[in-house]
Amino acid sequence: MKIQVTLNGKKQEWDVTPNEYLADTLRAHGCPSVKISCGDGACGTCTVLLNGKPMVSCEVLSVRADGAEIVTVEGLEEEADKIVDCLTRLGGEGCGWCAPGFVVLAYALKRELHNPTYDEVKAYLNGNLCRCTGYIVRIEAVLEYLQMP
Amino acid sequence: MQIREYVKPDTLEEAYALLMKGKANRILGGCTFLKRTNLKIGTAIDLAACGLDYIREMDTEVAVGAYTSLRTVETSEVILREFGPALRESMEHLIGVQLRNAITIGAHAASRFGFSDIIPTLLAMNAKLRFYRGGVKTLRDYMEEERLEKDILVEILLPKEGRRTVVQMARLSYSDYSVFCLAMSRAGGNWIVSAGAFPGRAKLAERTMAVMNGGPVAREEAATLAENIAAEYRFGSNYRGSAEYRRELCRVFARRGIEELAQ
């Protein structure tokens, strides 16, 4: 069936099946940043913004995205650069596999929480697993990003 | 999981008609558990356009629409103000914000998941469920039903009874399912005790509740009552924990809960 979405600011029409998940559809439509790792909603590598809210796209049926606004890391541009800059300066970049989902989540955190504490940031980022960094530098990088205009 | 056809009706009336039209037709919830099933769905009915995403405060209760996400419930100021942090605590550890934005509270409750920490907490909060055809029934009755009729869960009703609720859970890692969960509440002299993930569908400790509701409960009785509560459940073993371990957790959680609420 045909669905219409706004992907990173551009209107698109996709032909999807009822069994298809959004992560697969996004990868097939030019968003290789959307990684599928656990495929189970647990690791957060496929995080995108769906109508402004961070969602694990591997758990969202593509048909349900009809009419939605979707933002992937490709659509974050300058904000993504700011987060990546903080991550690299503090040694939180790791191998980069989980980074796109993490960057989207960090951006969502900034929009959702106002003056969050260390523990609130830590809890918010809980849904993005990382094998490389040990998390602490990532939390510090996000705290630094939150101070940026 | 296989879906033959997807529809998004505008009204509950239309959705109910579609649901009854075929044996394999199903109402979609957040769909986060769907992938783990072998369900073959005829018509998948999405209620996203039926206006069930809300938290409404009324004089005697708070109504939570079945399509409200766990994240919305967890961050609701109305729920925190009226009922305290227990409901938030029962869900905030569940994987991540990105998944809790997808899971709907209605689907979670309607599915009667045996691993849930949310259902025992809702039971302790004396929650009721409003169905499209079946009307209002207590969550307690719904959990006990042998055979569920096909229906649509519209909203969860949380009565404003001045009930203080505590929930305690043990899990192997922060975002994992619980090894055991116990929720308890008190409104004046009325106590509710419920447990889940023992492992099995959440249920109340009815016999001990009858004793507790028969007279004042003193803190000194906590250990004995906790022993009685633990004796009401049939604990099981799985790779998360043994029956003995769960029984011990139940004793400790029940004692702590009574001590806290008896004050």
Side-chain angles (χ1 to χ4, degrees):
Chain A
M1 61 187 286
K2 298 256 191 271
I3 63 167
Q4 292 188 330
V5 299
T6 304
L7 175 62
N8 296 326
K10 289 178 189 155
K11 288 201 185 313
Q12 300 198 4
E13 189 176 83
W14 299 339
D15 201 0
V16 298
T17 71
N19 298 294
E20 199 172 323
Y21 282 89
L22 188 57
D24 298 300
T25 313
L26 285 166
R27 287 182 65 81
H29 287 85
C31 294
S33 75
V34 180
K35 304 286 195 292
I36 302 167
S37 300
C38 70
D40 215 13
C43 74
T45 58
C46 63
T47 301
V48 300
L49 296 183
L50 191 67
N51 292 326
K53 290 183 178 175
M55 292 270 200
V56 275
S57 57
C58 74
E59 293 279 16
V60 177
L61 290 172
S62 300
V63 283
R64 295 187 113 174
D66 190 22
E69 193 170 307
I70 304 167
V71 177
T72 67
V73 80
E74 286 92 341
L76 290 183
E77 300 174 346
E78 276 180 34
E79 285 302 308
D81 289 343
K82 285 185 200 170
I83 299 164
V84 170
D85 181 50
C86 293
L87 283 169
T88 48
R89 270 189 296 109
L90 292 171
E93 72 274 40
C95 74
W97 178 261
C98 67
F102 182 81
V103 167
V104 172
L105 189 63
Y107 174 71
L109 184 156
K110 190 174 186 175
R111 291 180 3 145
E112 192 177 332
L113 304 184
H114 303 288
N115 298 317
T117 62
Y118 183 93
D119 284 343
E120 284 168 341
V121 170
K122 187 178 164 187
Y124 197 95
L125 300 175
N126 183 53
N128 189 281
L129 303 183
C130 172
R131 292 270 178 178
C132 306
T133 60
Y135 300 105
I136 291 171
V137 285
R138 298 193 132 204
I139 297 168
E140 286 167 356
V142 170
L143 286 166
E144 202 166 301
Y145 164 62
L146 296 177
Q147 301 305 315
M148 297 172 109
Chain B
M1 178 274 294
Q2 274 184 318
I3 297 173
R4 186 172 48 80
E5 180 196 25
Y6 166 90
V7 287
K8 194 172 167 183
D10 292 323
T11 64
L12 288 175
E13 190 180 7
E14 203 184 328
Y16 185 77
L18 283 164
L19 179 65
M20 301 310 285
K21 213 170 166 183
K23 207 174 171 185
N25 296 358
R26 294 277 190 281
I27 300 289
L28 294 179
C31 296
T32 55
F33 204 70
L34 205 55
K35 209 187 254 186
R36 297 160 186 77
T37 70
N38 291 321
L39 277 177
K40 287 197 167 82
I41 299 174
T43 301
I45 305 156
D46 188 347
L47 304 181
C50 293
L52 300 182
D53 179 0
Y54 57 81
I55 295 176
R56 286 187 197 131
E57 186 174 13
M58 291 167 286
D59 289 342
T60 57
E61 59 198 7
V62 172
V64 183
Y67 258 45
T68 309
S69 75
L70 294 190
R71 179 67 181 163
T72 304
V73 174
E74 165 194 343
T75 54
S76 162
E77 287 179 15
V78 172
I79 290 176
L80 183 64
R81 173 180 22 95
E82 285 301 323
F83 308 105
L87 193 55
R88 187 192 69 207
E89 287 167 3
S90 73
M91 56 182 71
E92 66 188 357
H93 57 83
L94 220 158
I95 313 289
V97 168
Q98 311 102 298
L99 192 70
R100 299 200 296 279
N101 268 330
I103 301 171
T104 60
I105 192 158
H108 191 93
S111 301
R112 308 199 290 185
F113 291 130
F115 55 77
S116 172
D117 301 319
I118 299 166
I119 296 172
T121 310
L122 289 170
L123 276 169
M125 294 168 77
N126 208 12
K128 296 177 180 67
L129 308 178
R130 186 191 302 281
F131 288 89
Y132 178 70
R133 295 294 281 194
V136 176
K137 60 177 84 169
T138 63
L139 177 59
R140 176 194 211 156
D141 288 345
Y142 178 72
M143 294 303 288
E144 296 294 326
E145 274 179 44
E146 285 291 322
R147 194 179 154 80
L148 295 174
E149 295 293 323
K150 265 192 169 186
D151 206 340
I152 299 173
L153 176 60
V154 178
E155 59 186 7
I156 297 174
L157 303 168
L158 305 173
K160 290 182 180 177
E161 298 173 333
R163 193 168 281 284
R164 199 171 148 225
T165 309
V166 292
V167 59
Q168 298 166 82
M169 299 148 283
R171 61 181 69 83
L172 301 179
S173 62
Y174 180 80
S175 55
D176 195 9
Y177 296 129
S178 281
V179 177
F180 178 70
C181 169
L182 186 121
M184 192 180 283
S185 73
R186 180 187 163 195
N190 182 265
W191 293 74
I192 298 177
V193 182
S194 65
F198 41 85
R201 195 186 297 160
K203 58 188 275 192
L204 301 182
E206 304 269 7
R207 291 195 300 276
T208 314
M209 276 169 54
V211 173
M212 293 167 82
N213 291 331
V217 174
R219 289 187 88 233
E220 294 68 35
E221 297 173 86
T224 312
L225 290 167
E227 195 68 44
N228 294 343
I229 290 167
E232 286 199 42
Y233 292 99
R234 263 181 76 179
F235 298 96
S237 300
N238 59 13
Y239 67 91
R240 284 200 171 79
S242 67
E244 254 321 294
Y245 180 51
R246 289 186 160 101
R247 189 171 294 113
E248 192 54 35
L249 286 173
C250 183
R251 286 191 195 109
V252 173
F253 288 175
R255 179 178 53 74
R256 286 181 188 163
I258 294 166
E259 284 174 351
E260 187 175 338
L261 294 176
Q263 284 176 359

